Short mmCIF file of all heavy atoms in Angstrom, two decimals:
data_model
loop_
_atom_site.label_atom_id
_atom_site.label_comp_id
_atom_site.label_asym_id
_atom_site.label_seq_id
_atom_site.Cartn_x
_atom_site.Cartn_y
_atom_site.Cartn_z
N MET A 12 -5.13 -7.31 1.52
CA MET A 12 -5.53 -6.14 0.75
C MET A 12 -6.89 -6.41 0.08
O MET A 12 -7.07 -7.45 -0.53
CB MET A 12 -4.48 -5.84 -0.31
CG MET A 12 -4.80 -4.65 -1.17
SD MET A 12 -3.60 -4.40 -2.48
CE MET A 12 -4.10 -5.66 -3.64
N ILE A 13 -7.81 -5.48 0.23
CA ILE A 13 -9.12 -5.62 -0.41
C ILE A 13 -8.96 -5.46 -1.93
O ILE A 13 -8.37 -4.50 -2.41
CB ILE A 13 -10.12 -4.56 0.11
CG1 ILE A 13 -10.38 -4.74 1.60
CG2 ILE A 13 -11.44 -4.62 -0.67
CD1 ILE A 13 -11.08 -6.02 1.98
N VAL A 14 -9.44 -6.42 -2.67
CA VAL A 14 -9.38 -6.39 -4.13
C VAL A 14 -10.73 -5.95 -4.69
O VAL A 14 -10.81 -5.10 -5.56
CB VAL A 14 -9.01 -7.78 -4.69
CG1 VAL A 14 -9.08 -7.79 -6.20
CG2 VAL A 14 -7.62 -8.18 -4.21
N CYS A 15 -11.80 -6.53 -4.15
CA CYS A 15 -13.14 -6.20 -4.62
C CYS A 15 -13.85 -5.40 -3.53
O CYS A 15 -14.26 -5.94 -2.51
CB CYS A 15 -13.92 -7.47 -4.93
SG CYS A 15 -15.60 -7.15 -5.48
N ILE A 16 -13.95 -4.10 -3.78
CA ILE A 16 -14.56 -3.20 -2.80
C ILE A 16 -16.06 -3.47 -2.70
O ILE A 16 -16.63 -3.46 -1.62
CB ILE A 16 -14.28 -1.74 -3.19
CG1 ILE A 16 -12.78 -1.46 -3.13
CG2 ILE A 16 -15.04 -0.77 -2.27
CD1 ILE A 16 -12.37 -0.18 -3.80
N CYS A 17 -16.69 -3.74 -3.83
CA CYS A 17 -18.13 -3.96 -3.84
C CYS A 17 -18.53 -5.10 -2.91
O CYS A 17 -19.56 -5.04 -2.25
CB CYS A 17 -18.61 -4.29 -5.24
SG CYS A 17 -18.44 -2.96 -6.42
N ASN A 18 -17.74 -6.15 -2.88
CA ASN A 18 -18.11 -7.35 -2.13
C ASN A 18 -17.16 -7.65 -0.97
O ASN A 18 -17.26 -8.71 -0.36
CB ASN A 18 -18.17 -8.54 -3.08
CG ASN A 18 -19.25 -8.35 -4.13
OD1 ASN A 18 -20.42 -8.30 -3.81
ND2 ASN A 18 -18.84 -8.16 -5.37
N ASN A 19 -16.25 -6.71 -0.70
CA ASN A 19 -15.32 -6.83 0.42
C ASN A 19 -14.55 -8.16 0.39
O ASN A 19 -14.53 -8.91 1.36
CB ASN A 19 -16.10 -6.68 1.74
CG ASN A 19 -15.18 -6.44 2.91
OD1 ASN A 19 -14.12 -5.84 2.75
ND2 ASN A 19 -15.57 -6.90 4.08
N VAL A 20 -13.95 -8.44 -0.76
CA VAL A 20 -13.17 -9.67 -0.92
C VAL A 20 -11.70 -9.29 -1.01
O VAL A 20 -11.33 -8.42 -1.80
CB VAL A 20 -13.59 -10.44 -2.20
CG1 VAL A 20 -12.78 -11.72 -2.35
CG2 VAL A 20 -15.08 -10.76 -2.15
N ASN A 21 -10.88 -9.94 -0.19
CA ASN A 21 -9.46 -9.60 -0.21
C ASN A 21 -8.63 -10.61 -1.00
O ASN A 21 -9.12 -11.66 -1.42
CB ASN A 21 -8.92 -9.41 1.22
CG ASN A 21 -8.98 -10.68 2.03
OD1 ASN A 21 -8.91 -11.78 1.48
ND2 ASN A 21 -9.12 -10.55 3.34
N SER A 22 -7.36 -10.26 -1.21
CA SER A 22 -6.49 -11.09 -2.05
C SER A 22 -6.25 -12.46 -1.42
O SER A 22 -6.16 -13.46 -2.13
CB SER A 22 -5.17 -10.38 -2.32
OG SER A 22 -4.56 -10.00 -1.11
N ALA A 23 -6.19 -12.53 -0.09
CA ALA A 23 -5.97 -13.82 0.57
C ALA A 23 -7.14 -14.77 0.31
O ALA A 23 -6.94 -15.98 0.11
CB ALA A 23 -5.77 -13.60 2.06
N THR A 24 -8.35 -14.22 0.30
CA THR A 24 -9.53 -15.05 0.04
C THR A 24 -9.51 -15.58 -1.39
O THR A 24 -9.80 -16.76 -1.64
CB THR A 24 -10.81 -14.23 0.28
OG1 THR A 24 -10.83 -13.80 1.64
CG2 THR A 24 -12.07 -15.03 -0.02
N ILE A 25 -9.12 -14.73 -2.33
CA ILE A 25 -9.06 -15.15 -3.73
C ILE A 25 -8.00 -16.23 -3.90
O ILE A 25 -8.22 -17.26 -4.53
CB ILE A 25 -8.79 -13.94 -4.65
CG1 ILE A 25 -9.97 -12.97 -4.59
CG2 ILE A 25 -8.53 -14.38 -6.08
CD1 ILE A 25 -9.70 -11.61 -5.19
N LYS A 26 -6.86 -16.01 -3.28
CA LYS A 26 -5.76 -16.97 -3.36
C LYS A 26 -6.19 -18.32 -2.76
O LYS A 26 -5.96 -19.37 -3.36
CB LYS A 26 -4.55 -16.41 -2.61
CG LYS A 26 -3.27 -17.09 -2.93
CD LYS A 26 -2.10 -16.30 -2.37
CE LYS A 26 -0.83 -17.05 -2.68
NZ LYS A 26 0.37 -16.27 -2.48
N ALA A 27 -6.83 -18.28 -1.62
CA ALA A 27 -7.28 -19.51 -0.96
C ALA A 27 -8.31 -20.24 -1.83
O ALA A 27 -8.34 -21.47 -1.90
CB ALA A 27 -7.87 -19.18 0.40
N THR A 28 -9.16 -19.46 -2.51
CA THR A 28 -10.18 -20.05 -3.38
C THR A 28 -9.52 -20.80 -4.54
O THR A 28 -9.94 -21.90 -4.90
CB THR A 28 -11.12 -18.94 -3.90
OG1 THR A 28 -11.69 -18.28 -2.78
CG2 THR A 28 -12.22 -19.51 -4.77
N VAL A 29 -8.47 -20.21 -5.09
CA VAL A 29 -7.75 -20.87 -6.19
C VAL A 29 -7.06 -22.13 -5.67
O VAL A 29 -7.08 -23.18 -6.31
CB VAL A 29 -6.74 -19.91 -6.85
CG1 VAL A 29 -5.89 -20.63 -7.88
CG2 VAL A 29 -7.47 -18.74 -7.50
N GLN A 30 -6.49 -22.04 -4.48
CA GLN A 30 -5.80 -23.20 -3.91
C GLN A 30 -6.77 -24.34 -3.61
O GLN A 30 -6.39 -25.50 -3.55
CB GLN A 30 -5.04 -22.79 -2.65
CG GLN A 30 -3.82 -21.96 -3.00
CD GLN A 30 -3.19 -21.28 -1.80
OE1 GLN A 30 -3.84 -21.09 -0.76
NE2 GLN A 30 -1.93 -20.89 -1.94
N ARG A 31 -8.06 -24.00 -3.49
CA ARG A 31 -9.07 -25.03 -3.26
C ARG A 31 -9.69 -25.52 -4.57
O ARG A 31 -10.65 -26.28 -4.55
CB ARG A 31 -10.17 -24.49 -2.35
CG ARG A 31 -9.74 -24.44 -0.89
CD ARG A 31 -10.94 -24.18 0.02
NE ARG A 31 -10.56 -23.20 1.01
CZ ARG A 31 -10.98 -21.94 1.05
NH1 ARG A 31 -11.84 -21.50 0.17
NH2 ARG A 31 -10.57 -21.12 1.97
N GLY A 32 -9.20 -25.02 -5.70
CA GLY A 32 -9.64 -25.59 -6.97
C GLY A 32 -10.20 -24.63 -8.00
O GLY A 32 -10.42 -25.00 -9.14
N ALA A 33 -10.45 -23.37 -7.61
CA ALA A 33 -10.93 -22.40 -8.61
C ALA A 33 -9.82 -22.13 -9.61
O ALA A 33 -8.65 -22.07 -9.23
CB ALA A 33 -11.35 -21.10 -7.93
N CYS A 34 -10.16 -22.01 -10.89
CA CYS A 34 -9.10 -21.77 -11.86
C CYS A 34 -9.44 -20.67 -12.86
O CYS A 34 -8.79 -20.54 -13.89
CB CYS A 34 -8.73 -23.07 -12.58
SG CYS A 34 -10.11 -23.86 -13.37
N SER A 35 -10.45 -19.87 -12.54
CA SER A 35 -10.80 -18.76 -13.42
C SER A 35 -11.48 -17.67 -12.62
O SER A 35 -11.91 -17.89 -11.47
CB SER A 35 -11.75 -19.25 -14.53
OG SER A 35 -12.99 -19.60 -13.94
N VAL A 36 -11.62 -16.50 -13.24
CA VAL A 36 -12.33 -15.40 -12.60
C VAL A 36 -13.78 -15.82 -12.32
O VAL A 36 -14.32 -15.53 -11.26
CB VAL A 36 -12.30 -14.13 -13.48
CG1 VAL A 36 -13.17 -13.03 -12.89
CG2 VAL A 36 -10.87 -13.62 -13.63
N ASP A 37 -14.36 -16.55 -13.25
CA ASP A 37 -15.75 -17.00 -13.06
C ASP A 37 -15.88 -17.91 -11.84
O ASP A 37 -16.85 -17.81 -11.10
CB ASP A 37 -16.27 -17.72 -14.31
CG ASP A 37 -16.63 -16.74 -15.41
OD1 ASP A 37 -16.79 -15.54 -15.12
OD2 ASP A 37 -16.74 -17.18 -16.56
N ASP A 38 -14.90 -18.79 -11.65
CA ASP A 38 -14.93 -19.68 -10.47
C ASP A 38 -14.85 -18.85 -9.19
O ASP A 38 -15.60 -19.10 -8.24
CB ASP A 38 -13.75 -20.66 -10.49
CG ASP A 38 -13.89 -21.74 -11.56
OD1 ASP A 38 -15.00 -21.89 -12.11
OD2 ASP A 38 -12.88 -22.41 -11.84
N VAL A 39 -13.95 -17.88 -9.18
CA VAL A 39 -13.78 -17.03 -7.99
C VAL A 39 -15.05 -16.20 -7.77
O VAL A 39 -15.51 -16.03 -6.64
CB VAL A 39 -12.54 -16.12 -8.14
CG1 VAL A 39 -12.46 -15.11 -7.01
CG2 VAL A 39 -11.27 -16.96 -8.18
N LYS A 40 -15.62 -15.74 -8.86
CA LYS A 40 -16.86 -14.95 -8.79
C LYS A 40 -17.97 -15.77 -8.14
O LYS A 40 -18.68 -15.30 -7.27
CB LYS A 40 -17.27 -14.52 -10.20
CG LYS A 40 -18.38 -13.52 -10.25
CD LYS A 40 -18.88 -13.28 -11.66
CE LYS A 40 -17.86 -12.63 -12.57
NZ LYS A 40 -18.43 -12.25 -13.88
N GLU A 41 -18.11 -16.99 -8.60
CA GLU A 41 -19.15 -17.88 -8.06
C GLU A 41 -18.96 -18.15 -6.57
O GLU A 41 -19.91 -18.17 -5.80
CB GLU A 41 -19.09 -19.23 -8.80
CG GLU A 41 -20.36 -19.57 -9.54
CD GLU A 41 -20.21 -20.87 -10.30
OE1 GLU A 41 -20.04 -21.91 -9.65
OE2 GLU A 41 -20.26 -20.82 -11.54
N THR A 42 -17.71 -18.36 -6.19
CA THR A 42 -17.42 -18.76 -4.81
C THR A 42 -17.42 -17.59 -3.84
O THR A 42 -17.93 -17.70 -2.72
CB THR A 42 -16.05 -19.47 -4.75
OG1 THR A 42 -16.07 -20.53 -5.69
CG2 THR A 42 -15.78 -20.04 -3.37
N THR A 43 -16.83 -16.46 -4.26
CA THR A 43 -16.64 -15.35 -3.32
C THR A 43 -17.52 -14.14 -3.60
O THR A 43 -17.68 -13.29 -2.73
CB THR A 43 -15.17 -14.86 -3.35
OG1 THR A 43 -14.92 -14.25 -4.62
CG2 THR A 43 -14.21 -16.00 -3.12
N GLY A 44 -18.04 -14.04 -4.81
CA GLY A 44 -18.81 -12.86 -5.19
C GLY A 44 -17.94 -11.76 -5.77
O GLY A 44 -18.45 -10.77 -6.29
N ALA A 45 -16.61 -11.92 -5.70
CA ALA A 45 -15.70 -10.92 -6.26
C ALA A 45 -15.97 -10.74 -7.75
O ALA A 45 -16.24 -11.70 -8.46
CB ALA A 45 -14.25 -11.32 -6.05
N ALA A 46 -15.92 -9.50 -8.23
CA ALA A 46 -16.11 -9.15 -9.63
C ALA A 46 -17.54 -9.36 -10.12
O ALA A 46 -17.78 -9.42 -11.32
CB ALA A 46 -15.11 -9.90 -10.54
N SER A 47 -18.48 -9.46 -9.19
CA SER A 47 -19.86 -9.72 -9.61
C SER A 47 -20.74 -8.46 -9.61
O SER A 47 -21.92 -8.55 -9.96
CB SER A 47 -20.48 -10.79 -8.72
OG SER A 47 -20.55 -10.34 -7.39
N CYS A 48 -20.17 -7.33 -9.24
CA CYS A 48 -20.98 -6.09 -9.27
C CYS A 48 -20.51 -5.17 -10.39
O CYS A 48 -20.91 -5.35 -11.52
CB CYS A 48 -20.90 -5.38 -7.93
SG CYS A 48 -21.89 -6.15 -6.66
N CYS A 49 -19.64 -4.22 -10.08
CA CYS A 49 -19.22 -3.25 -11.09
C CYS A 49 -18.21 -3.84 -12.07
O CYS A 49 -18.07 -3.35 -13.18
CB CYS A 49 -18.64 -2.00 -10.43
SG CYS A 49 -17.01 -2.26 -9.70
N GLY A 50 -17.49 -4.87 -11.64
CA GLY A 50 -16.52 -5.53 -12.52
C GLY A 50 -15.17 -4.84 -12.61
O GLY A 50 -14.28 -5.32 -13.31
N LYS A 51 -14.99 -3.73 -11.90
CA LYS A 51 -13.73 -2.99 -12.00
C LYS A 51 -12.54 -3.79 -11.48
O LYS A 51 -11.41 -3.51 -11.83
CB LYS A 51 -13.82 -1.67 -11.22
CG LYS A 51 -14.64 -0.63 -11.94
CD LYS A 51 -14.67 0.67 -11.15
CE LYS A 51 -15.52 1.70 -11.86
NZ LYS A 51 -15.71 2.90 -11.05
N CYS A 52 -12.80 -4.77 -10.62
CA CYS A 52 -11.71 -5.53 -10.00
C CYS A 52 -11.35 -6.77 -10.81
O CYS A 52 -10.44 -7.49 -10.43
CB CYS A 52 -12.13 -5.95 -8.60
SG CYS A 52 -13.57 -7.03 -8.61
N GLN A 53 -12.05 -7.05 -11.90
CA GLN A 53 -11.86 -8.34 -12.55
C GLN A 53 -10.45 -8.57 -13.07
O GLN A 53 -9.97 -9.70 -13.05
CB GLN A 53 -12.89 -8.56 -13.66
CG GLN A 53 -12.75 -7.66 -14.84
CD GLN A 53 -13.80 -7.96 -15.90
OE1 GLN A 53 -14.22 -9.09 -16.06
NE2 GLN A 53 -14.21 -6.93 -16.62
N PHE A 54 -9.75 -7.49 -13.48
CA PHE A 54 -8.39 -7.69 -13.98
C PHE A 54 -7.45 -8.03 -12.83
O PHE A 54 -6.55 -8.86 -12.97
CB PHE A 54 -7.90 -6.45 -14.74
CG PHE A 54 -8.67 -6.24 -16.01
CD1 PHE A 54 -9.53 -5.17 -16.14
CD2 PHE A 54 -8.56 -7.14 -17.07
CE1 PHE A 54 -10.27 -4.99 -17.30
CE2 PHE A 54 -9.29 -6.97 -18.24
CZ PHE A 54 -10.15 -5.89 -18.35
N LYS A 55 -7.69 -7.40 -11.69
CA LYS A 55 -6.90 -7.69 -10.50
C LYS A 55 -7.19 -9.13 -10.01
O LYS A 55 -6.27 -9.86 -9.66
CB LYS A 55 -7.25 -6.68 -9.41
CG LYS A 55 -6.42 -6.80 -8.18
CD LYS A 55 -5.06 -6.15 -8.34
CE LYS A 55 -4.25 -6.29 -7.06
NZ LYS A 55 -2.88 -5.88 -7.24
N VAL A 56 -8.46 -9.49 -10.03
CA VAL A 56 -8.83 -10.86 -9.63
C VAL A 56 -8.15 -11.85 -10.57
O VAL A 56 -7.55 -12.84 -10.12
CB VAL A 56 -10.37 -11.06 -9.66
CG1 VAL A 56 -10.74 -12.52 -9.45
CG2 VAL A 56 -11.05 -10.18 -8.62
N ASN A 57 -8.19 -11.58 -11.85
CA ASN A 57 -7.57 -12.47 -12.83
C ASN A 57 -6.07 -12.59 -12.59
O ASN A 57 -5.51 -13.69 -12.67
CB ASN A 57 -7.86 -11.98 -14.25
CG ASN A 57 -7.33 -12.96 -15.28
OD1 ASN A 57 -7.65 -14.14 -15.24
ND2 ASN A 57 -6.50 -12.48 -16.18
N ALA A 58 -5.42 -11.48 -12.28
CA ALA A 58 -3.97 -11.49 -12.03
C ALA A 58 -3.65 -12.38 -10.83
O ALA A 58 -2.68 -13.16 -10.86
CB ALA A 58 -3.46 -10.07 -11.80
N ILE A 59 -4.46 -12.29 -9.78
CA ILE A 59 -4.23 -13.11 -8.58
C ILE A 59 -4.47 -14.58 -8.91
O ILE A 59 -3.72 -15.46 -8.48
CB ILE A 59 -5.11 -12.63 -7.41
CG1 ILE A 59 -4.69 -11.23 -6.99
CG2 ILE A 59 -5.02 -13.59 -6.23
CD1 ILE A 59 -5.64 -10.53 -6.04
N VAL A 60 -5.52 -14.86 -9.70
CA VAL A 60 -5.81 -16.25 -10.11
C VAL A 60 -4.61 -16.81 -10.88
O VAL A 60 -4.11 -17.90 -10.57
CB VAL A 60 -7.09 -16.32 -10.97
CG1 VAL A 60 -7.25 -17.71 -11.59
CG2 VAL A 60 -8.32 -15.99 -10.13
N GLN A 61 -4.13 -16.06 -11.85
CA GLN A 61 -3.01 -16.55 -12.68
C GLN A 61 -1.74 -16.73 -11.85
O GLN A 61 -1.04 -17.73 -12.01
CB GLN A 61 -2.75 -15.59 -13.85
CG GLN A 61 -3.91 -15.47 -14.83
CD GLN A 61 -4.44 -16.81 -15.32
OE1 GLN A 61 -3.68 -17.72 -15.63
NE2 GLN A 61 -5.75 -16.96 -15.36
N ASP A 62 -1.45 -15.76 -10.98
CA ASP A 62 -0.26 -15.86 -10.12
C ASP A 62 -0.35 -17.09 -9.23
O ASP A 62 0.62 -17.83 -9.07
CB ASP A 62 -0.14 -14.62 -9.22
CG ASP A 62 0.43 -13.44 -9.96
OD1 ASP A 62 0.79 -13.58 -11.15
OD2 ASP A 62 0.51 -12.35 -9.35
N THR A 63 -1.52 -17.30 -8.64
CA THR A 63 -1.69 -18.42 -7.70
C THR A 63 -1.60 -19.75 -8.45
O THR A 63 -0.98 -20.70 -7.96
CB THR A 63 -3.02 -18.31 -6.94
OG1 THR A 63 -3.09 -17.00 -6.36
CG2 THR A 63 -3.12 -19.35 -5.85
N LEU A 64 -2.20 -19.80 -9.64
CA LEU A 64 -2.13 -21.03 -10.43
C LEU A 64 -0.69 -21.36 -10.81
O LEU A 64 -0.28 -22.52 -10.79
CB LEU A 64 -2.98 -20.91 -11.70
CG LEU A 64 -4.49 -20.98 -11.52
CD1 LEU A 64 -5.20 -20.70 -12.84
CD2 LEU A 64 -4.92 -22.32 -10.96
N SER A 65 0.10 -20.33 -11.11
CA SER A 65 1.48 -20.58 -11.51
C SER A 65 2.34 -20.99 -10.31
O SER A 65 3.34 -21.67 -10.47
CB SER A 65 2.07 -19.37 -12.23
OG SER A 65 2.23 -18.31 -11.33
N GLU A 66 1.92 -20.60 -9.11
CA GLU A 66 2.66 -20.98 -7.89
C GLU A 66 2.27 -22.37 -7.42
O GLU A 66 3.00 -23.01 -6.69
CB GLU A 66 2.29 -20.03 -6.74
CG GLU A 66 2.81 -18.64 -6.88
CD GLU A 66 2.20 -17.72 -5.82
OE1 GLU A 66 1.38 -18.17 -4.99
OE2 GLU A 66 2.55 -16.54 -5.84
N THR A 67 1.06 -22.78 -7.78
CA THR A 67 0.50 -24.01 -7.23
C THR A 67 0.56 -25.11 -8.26
O THR A 67 0.12 -24.93 -9.39
CB THR A 67 -0.98 -23.78 -6.83
OG1 THR A 67 -1.05 -22.60 -6.05
CG2 THR A 67 -1.54 -24.95 -6.06
N SER A 68 1.09 -26.25 -7.89
CA SER A 68 1.07 -27.36 -8.84
C SER A 68 0.02 -28.36 -8.41
O SER A 68 0.06 -28.89 -7.30
CB SER A 68 2.45 -28.01 -8.93
OG SER A 68 2.79 -28.53 -7.68
N PHE A 69 -0.94 -28.53 -9.27
CA PHE A 69 -1.99 -29.50 -9.00
C PHE A 69 -1.60 -30.84 -9.63
O PHE A 69 -1.03 -30.86 -10.71
CB PHE A 69 -3.32 -29.05 -9.62
CG PHE A 69 -3.87 -27.82 -8.97
CD1 PHE A 69 -3.77 -26.60 -9.60
CD2 PHE A 69 -4.48 -27.90 -7.73
CE1 PHE A 69 -4.28 -25.45 -9.00
CE2 PHE A 69 -4.99 -26.76 -7.13
CZ PHE A 69 -4.90 -25.54 -7.76
N PRO A 70 -1.93 -31.93 -8.99
CA PRO A 70 -1.67 -33.22 -9.62
C PRO A 70 -2.49 -33.33 -10.90
O PRO A 70 -3.65 -32.88 -10.93
CB PRO A 70 -2.13 -34.24 -8.58
CG PRO A 70 -2.85 -33.50 -7.55
CD PRO A 70 -2.55 -32.05 -7.69
N GLN A 71 -1.88 -33.86 -11.92
CA GLN A 71 -2.59 -33.97 -13.18
C GLN A 71 -3.71 -34.98 -13.07
O GLN A 71 -3.51 -36.10 -12.57
CB GLN A 71 -1.62 -34.39 -14.28
CG GLN A 71 -2.24 -34.26 -15.65
CD GLN A 71 -1.17 -34.43 -16.73
OE1 GLN A 71 -0.08 -34.89 -16.46
NE2 GLN A 71 -1.50 -34.09 -17.94
N GLN A 72 -4.88 -34.57 -13.51
CA GLN A 72 -6.01 -35.49 -13.43
C GLN A 72 -6.10 -36.32 -14.70
O GLN A 72 -5.98 -35.80 -15.79
CB GLN A 72 -7.31 -34.71 -13.23
CG GLN A 72 -7.35 -34.03 -11.90
CD GLN A 72 -8.69 -33.34 -11.66
OE1 GLN A 72 -9.44 -33.12 -12.59
NE2 GLN A 72 -8.95 -33.00 -10.42
N VAL A 73 -6.29 -37.59 -14.52
CA VAL A 73 -6.41 -38.49 -15.65
C VAL A 73 -7.85 -39.00 -15.66
O VAL A 73 -8.32 -39.56 -14.68
CB VAL A 73 -5.41 -39.67 -15.53
CG1 VAL A 73 -5.60 -40.64 -16.68
CG2 VAL A 73 -4.00 -39.16 -15.43
N SER A 74 -8.51 -38.74 -16.77
CA SER A 74 -9.89 -39.22 -16.82
C SER A 74 -9.90 -40.68 -17.24
O SER A 74 -9.18 -41.08 -18.15
CB SER A 74 -10.74 -38.37 -17.75
OG SER A 74 -10.36 -38.58 -19.07
N GLN A 75 -10.70 -41.42 -16.56
CA GLN A 75 -10.82 -42.84 -16.90
C GLN A 75 -12.27 -43.11 -17.25
O GLN A 75 -13.16 -42.77 -16.51
CB GLN A 75 -10.40 -43.70 -15.72
CG GLN A 75 -8.94 -43.51 -15.37
CD GLN A 75 -8.53 -44.28 -14.12
OE1 GLN A 75 -9.36 -44.81 -13.42
NE2 GLN A 75 -7.24 -44.32 -13.86
N GLY A 76 -12.46 -43.67 -18.42
CA GLY A 76 -13.80 -43.92 -18.90
C GLY A 76 -14.48 -44.91 -18.11
O GLY A 76 -15.48 -45.03 -17.62
S1 FES B 1 -14.92 -3.79 -7.10
FE1 FES B 1 -15.31 -5.87 -7.48
S2 FES B 1 -17.24 -5.88 -8.45
FE2 FES B 1 -16.90 -3.82 -7.96
#
């Protein structure tokens, strides 16, 4: 399903972007261009980001000095 009409970005692309490490609307915007024009899709983009993050468990990163 197309989420961002301005940039022709679909929900599968947004989901895949999150699975590759994006964790915010800004990350998705940078990678796919979604939500970078009129911004009307940003709430939908955010919902997909949050849903995908809650479905996906990333290994906890431990910073080592
Ligand atoms: S619909 Fe996504 S920026 Fe316009």
Side-chain angles (χ1 to χ4, degrees):
M12 180 184 77
I13 297 294
V14 175
C15 179
I16 296 166
C17 294
N18 297 295
N19 195 31
V20 180
N21 64 28
S22 54
T24 299
I25 295 168
K26 197 168 179 167
T28 303
V29 174
Q30 288 168 339
R31 283 192 224 108
C34 56
S35 67
V36 173
D37 283 343
D38 289 346
V39 172
K40 190 188 295 187
E41 241 177 64
T42 306
T43 68
S47 63
C48 284
C49 73
K51 285 182 182 173
C52 62
Q53 67 179 329
F54 293 111
K55 185 80 180 171
V56 172
N57 185 53
I59 294 169
V60 170
Q61 297 309 318
D62 281 357
T63 308
L64 286 174
S65 68
E66 290 170 0
T67 310
S68 62
F69 293 104
Q71 191 169 14
Q72 293 184 344
V73 177
S74 70
Q75 296 175 350

